[in-house]
Amino acid sequence: MKLDRKDILKALETITIAGEGKNMVESGAIANVITFGDEVVVDLVLHTPAMHIKKRAEDDIKKTILELVSPDAKIKINSKVEVPDKPEIKGKSIPGIKNIIGVASGKGGVGKSTVTANLAVSLAKMGFSVGILDADIYGPSMPIMFDVESEKPISVTVDGKSKMKPVESYEVKILSIGFFTAPSQAVIWRGPMASKALNQMIFDADWGELDFMLVDLPPGTGDIHLSIVQSLPITGVVIVSTPQAVALADAKKGVSMFMSEAINVPVLGIIENMAYFTPEELPENKYYIFGKEGARNLSEDLGVPFLGEVPIVQSIREAGDYGRPAAMQTGSVIETVFEQITRNVVQETVNRNESLPATEAVKITTMAGCSAVKK
């Protein structure tokens, strides 16, 4: 039996590399295909060194050739990783801030802000210097979750300029639009007004030295997200989802937005919130109310890391309402859960910084974005 190179290329046009929109042939990932009778050699070129993406691409190639061309084909894959040299960060960076992590969700109500707050206090407990930018302009909740509703940022002078000093609680620096509005007051702003307020909280603030700035993004994929990625070189984003199909469909769109060619911000992984319910009196029992391992399966499908799962526990809700994040409950199951998830986030951030160039602030060059950059 002799294999035909054209048949193999046609088969490989049906698969893509995780995170890329074009098929393997069109994107240039398949550098060459050589056939010798029933043997085929595929030269694969990847632009990310992530091992899970490399393994999945190789498995997809083998499976596709065996299914669509010949089940008797002997396949050899030569994989090569080409990562561009790290360029200088373009756009405005914030001096002293090492990593900027966006926390996003495809839809509301999945506990994104709760996860952000608990990630922040877990990082602080590990010895990192941490800040939170509450970018959820229309639903700012960080002042409540850190019990600082009545606080107001004070003005300080830095290098002759007046700056906002973030409010500090549990060793976490926080800025939120909630500090500047009454608790009962709705923020009724158009996109440009919200973006301007965000820019002030980002660049007119005295954040000092931070190992991590967590940006609590609003639900969805809209104006504020574009403003943030245009304003800041985001190190990476964490996606929060619940297990049910409706939430996963929206989470998938969130991942797609950040991994698109126009945005191109690394996705550090997915966290599954409300993964299961465990009654306090039956700590060994798990009830999968919203479905089982939906976000874990989604992370495998999309080729992004799974960072962990957070159970439905009454104390998490109570802790958020009372302004003391649940991860601070020493010796509790929740402390352990968030500690492990936070370690995974830190590890993925280290992996990302070692293997990928620094993220640039995105430049929207067409009227499809919330604002156009004039050439």
Side-chain angles (χ1 to χ4, degrees):
M1 180 197 67
K2 185 177 180 182
L3 296 174
D4 191 317
R5 182 174 181 272
K6 290 181 181 178
D7 292 340
I8 292 168
L9 286 171
K10 186 176 180 181
L12 295 179
E13 286 178 351
T14 64
I15 52 177
T16 61
I17 291 176
E20 296 186 6
K22 298 178 181 177
N23 67 62
M24 284 191 178
V25 177
E26 189 182 2
S27 69
I30 303 298
N32 197 16
V33 172
I34 303 172
T35 58
F36 306 94
D38 62 349
E39 297 181 13
V40 56
V41 179
V42 179
D43 291 335
L44 175 66
V45 178
L46 300 169
H47 297 293
T48 172
M51 289 301 296
H52 64 280
I53 291 181
K54 174 176 174 287
K55 185 177 185 308
R56 178 175 170 182
E58 292 175 349
D59 290 346
D60 285 349
I61 290 171
K62 289 177 182 177
K63 182 181 176 184
T64 300
I65 293 174
L66 292 172
E67 288 183 355
L68 300 184
V69 181
S70 169
D72 302 317
K74 298 172 183 175
I75 305 161
K76 181 182 178 183
I77 301 172
N78 297 321
S79 298
K80 180 180 176 185
V81 177
E82 291 183 355
V83 178
D85 294 333
K86 290 189 178 184
E88 290 183 14
I89 295 178
K90 297 178 183 177
K92 281 186 172 182
S93 60
I94 308 178
I97 298 181
K98 295 176 184 174
N99 299 288
I100 302 174
I101 309 296
V103 184
S105 65
K107 70 189 294 293
V110 298
K112 168 185 51 60
S113 297
T114 299
V115 169
T116 304
N118 284 285
L119 282 177
V121 297
S122 296
L123 285 166
K125 283 168 64 179
M126 290 176 186
F128 294 106
S129 50
V130 188
I132 293 180
L133 173 65
D134 189 355
D136 195 350
I137 291 288
Y138 304 107
S141 50
M142 287 304 153
I144 296 173
M145 291 189 173
F146 281 86
D147 194 24
V148 286
E149 278 184 283
S150 59
E151 300 285 335
K152 300 291 179 189
I154 62 172
S155 178
V156 294
T157 302
V158 180
D159 297 330
K161 294 182 179 178
S162 179
K163 298 261 188 179
M164 284 184 285
K165 186 175 179 62
V167 171
E168 193 161 336
S169 178
Y170 310 128
E171 299 182 28
V172 176
K173 296 178 180 178
I174 308 157
L175 272 183
S176 168
I177 202 68
F179 292 136
F180 307 101
T181 59
S184 59
Q185 180 184 349
V187 179
I188 309 171
W189 288 349
R190 291 189 184 275
M193 292 175 68
S195 299
K196 186 175 180 181
L198 270 179
N199 274 314
Q200 284 185 306
M201 288 196 293
I202 294 168
F203 298 112
D204 293 343
D206 177 26
W207 287 102
E209 299 284 329
L210 293 181
D211 294 310
F212 289 91
M213 173 190 273
L214 302 183
V215 183
D216 184 26
L217 292 162
T221 55
D223 215 18
I224 300 300
H225 303 78
L226 287 176
S227 295
I228 288 290
V229 297
Q230 278 185 280
S231 301
L232 289 173
I234 304 289
T235 307
V237 294
V238 170
I239 305 294
V240 179
S241 179
T242 45
Q244 72 268 41
V246 173
L248 294 171
D250 291 333
K252 191 172 183 178
K253 292 174 186 174
V255 173
S256 175
M257 178 187 76
F258 287 109
M259 295 180 76
S260 68
E261 282 187 34
I263 305 297
N264 195 27
V265 170
V267 176
L268 301 178
I270 298 176
I271 296 172
E272 184 172 86
N273 194 25
M274 309 182 203
Y276 55 86
F277 171 65
T278 296
E280 191 174 348
E281 65 275 12
L282 298 169
E284 300 302 316
N285 289 24
K286 293 182 179 180
Y287 300 95
Y288 296 91
I289 297 172
F290 297 123
K292 189 175 182 180
E293 298 182 346
R296 185 190 291 272
N297 295 333
L298 177 65
S299 70
E300 291 177 5
D301 291 343
L302 298 177
V304 299
F306 181 69
L307 299 172
E309 54 187 24
V310 182
I312 302 173
V313 178
Q314 186 173 336
S315 63
I316 297 180
R317 191 274 304 165
E318 291 174 343
D321 287 350
Y322 289 122
R324 186 175 171 82
M328 298 178 67
Q329 297 169 5
T330 306
S332 69
V333 173
I334 295 306
E335 181 193 37
T336 306
V337 165
F338 277 112
E339 185 177 282
Q340 186 55 56
I341 290 173
T342 304
R343 288 186 187 279
N344 291 340
V345 171
V346 172
Q347 185 59 60
E348 290 302 329
T349 303
V350 170
N351 295 346
R352 175 255 177 277
N353 288 339
E354 287 179 347
S355 61
L356 293 176
T359 307
E360 298 180 1
V362 174
K363 292 183 172 46
I364 305 296
T365 56
T366 71
M367 291 306 289
C370 63
S371 62
V373 176
K374 293 181 181 178
K375 290 186 178 180

